[in-house]
């Protein structure tokens, strides 16, 4: 499998050249083939959902250099929800957003000479990486059972380090991925900050491998989403704003006081921040 350096672009909806999506019959006793070709655009996720609405089994054949990350994820989620298989035919290329759709298959196939291109997301207008899009990408990969490890260099650039089939709740899967990273040169003796999605198995394996004092931080996007999902809809905007303001404060005590006055406080079974006993500076 090849991973050419192709970016997963985040494009605006409504572009004139959407992907071609068609359903082809292969015979009375064989599943149909859904053919997806061309650049992914904003509404292609909806188009794919509509055209596959009546299908209970199919092989999705993909050929594309990428395009809209959102469309790629939407197509991949529909593929996974319906239990469809994915295929990149012989000699074809499925890159970036297309690769996200391909990864949604319950079974994934590649023909001889096919290329699958994976890369981080970037904004098509600024040609700069976007943290929100990459968080969206990581959350999607986790939902389809493909935990992704990213590394962030001194300049703040993100680099994909490893991808494995499984889930972050599975300690054996996480340990296999980390072991692979170490085999490829990651030094477990170097102190690093790990940002995780909240899976307990993931934190357990990190501390077991890199040391009990390894600093671990919860991803803010995952935390905000988990909090907001448990609240009535009228509170979503105000709580999202309160969380963002608290995380931007340099003083943890001020952040706690801010969240204590949040409209969500009386609606939550648990506090928005961990108890005071869990405070303390991490050591390596």
């Amino acid at each position: 499998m090849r991973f050419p350096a192709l970016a997963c672009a985040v494009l605006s909806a409504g572009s004139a050249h959407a992907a071609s999506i068609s359903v082809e019959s292969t015979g009375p006793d064989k599943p149909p083939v859904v053919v997806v070709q061309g650049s992914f655009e904003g509404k292609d996720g909806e188009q794919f959902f509509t055209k596959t609405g009546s299908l209970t089994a199919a092989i999705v054949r993909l050929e594309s250099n990428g395009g809209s990350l959102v469309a790629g994820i939407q197509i991949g989620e529909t593929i996974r929800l319906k239990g469809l298989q994915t295929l990149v035919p012989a000699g074809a290329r499925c890159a970036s957003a297309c690769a996200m759709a391909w990864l949604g298959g319950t079974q994934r196939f590649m023909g001889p000479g096919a290329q699958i291109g994976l890369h981080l997301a970037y904004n098509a207008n600024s040609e700069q990486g976007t943290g929100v899009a990459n968080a969206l990408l990581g959350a999607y990969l986790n939902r389809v059972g493909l935990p992704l490890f990213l590394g962030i260099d001194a300049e703040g650039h993100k680099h994909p380090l490893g991808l494995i089939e499984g889930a972050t709740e599975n300690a054996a899967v996480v340990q296999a991925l980390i072991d692979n990273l170490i085999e490829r040169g990651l030094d477990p003796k170097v102190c690093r900050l790990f940002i995780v999605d909240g899976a307990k198995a993931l934190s357990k394996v990190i501390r077991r491998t890199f040391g009990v004092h390894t600093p671990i931080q919860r991803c803010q996007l995952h935390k905000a989403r988990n909090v907001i999902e448990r609240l009535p809809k009228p509170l979503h905007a105000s709580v999202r704003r309160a969380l963002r303001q608290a995380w931007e404060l340099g003083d943890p005590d001020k952040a706690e006081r801010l969240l204590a006055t949040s409209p969500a406080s009386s609606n939550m079974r648990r506090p928005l921040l961990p108890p005071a006993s869990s405070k303390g500076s991490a050591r390596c």
Side-chain angles (χ1 to χ4, degrees):
M1 182 184 296
R2 296 181 61 191
F3 297 95
L6 296 170
C8 189
V10 183
L11 304 178
S12 60
S15 183
H17 303 289
S20 168
I21 303 174
S22 60
V23 180
E24 298 179 358
S25 175
T26 57
D29 299 321
K30 297 181 180 180
V33 174
V34 182
V35 180
V36 182
Q37 295 177 307
S39 177
F40 286 19
E41 304 300 339
K43 295 184 179 180
D44 286 340
E46 296 177 17
Q47 181 188 181
F48 183 88
F49 181 83
T50 299
K51 293 202 173 184
T52 60
S54 62
L55 301 180
T56 56
I59 296 175
V60 182
R61 193 174 74 198
L62 296 152
E63 296 182 56
S64 171
N65 284 329
S68 167
L69 173 63
V70 173
I73 288 176
Q74 288 175 337
I75 292 173
E77 289 185 328
T78 299
I79 289 171
R80 179 55 62 101
L81 180 65
K82 298 178 74 64
L84 309 181
Q85 300 172 331
T86 51
L87 165 70
V88 179
R93 180 160 64 175
C94 177
S96 302
C98 178
M100 293 301 105
W102 179 77
L103 288 171
T106 52
Q107 289 184 292
R108 300 178 287 272
F109 301 96
M110 297 173 62
Q115 296 180 357
I116 308 292
L118 297 174
H119 203 275
L120 295 184
Y122 74 88
N123 185 286
N125 295 320
S126 66
E127 297 187 353
Q128 298 295 316
T130 161
V132 173
N134 282 314
L136 181 67
L137 186 154
Y140 164 71
L141 291 175
N142 202 32
R143 286 197 298 275
V144 298
L146 291 164
L148 172 68
F149 266 48
L150 299 177
I152 304 177
D153 61 26
E155 286 73 39
H157 300 137
K158 295 182 180 179
H159 307 273
L161 302 179
L163 185 69
I164 193 170
E165 186 132 22
T168 53
E169 289 81 6
N170 187 320
V173 168
V174 176
Q175 188 69 67
L177 179 54
I178 290 179
D179 288 346
N180 177 260
L181 296 179
I182 293 173
E183 290 172 4
R184 291 191 284 120
L186 184 70
D187 188 350
K189 296 179 181 179
V190 175
C191 182
R192 295 179 175 86
L193 169 65
F194 287 83
I195 301 174
V196 303
D197 65 2
K200 293 182 179 179
L202 181 56
S203 296
K204 180 180 179 180
V205 171
I206 289 172
R207 294 198 187 282
R208 184 170 63 201
T209 305
F210 298 95
V212 295
H213 297 299
T214 298
I216 298 176
Q217 179 177 310
R218 180 75 180 276
C219 171
Q220 292 181 358
L221 289 175
H222 280 95
K223 180 65 176 178
R225 184 182 64 194
N226 291 344
V227 168
I228 289 169
E229 284 176 350
R230 289 165 173 77
L231 295 172
K233 193 171 182 178
L235 293 175
H236 286 190
S238 60
V239 171
R240 188 181 292 110
R241 184 167 55 252
L243 287 171
R244 185 170 59 250
Q245 291 172 345
W247 286 326
E248 289 174 353
L249 290 172
D251 186 328
D253 293 325
K254 290 182 179 179
E256 282 200 54
R257 288 196 295 271
L258 174 63
L259 291 179
T261 61
S262 166
S265 296
S266 60
N267 291 272
M268 295 288 290
R269 293 182 180 178
R270 299 179 182 177
L272 297 182
L273 288 176
S277 59
S278 68
K279 291 181 180 178
S281 58
R283 294 183 291 113
C284 292

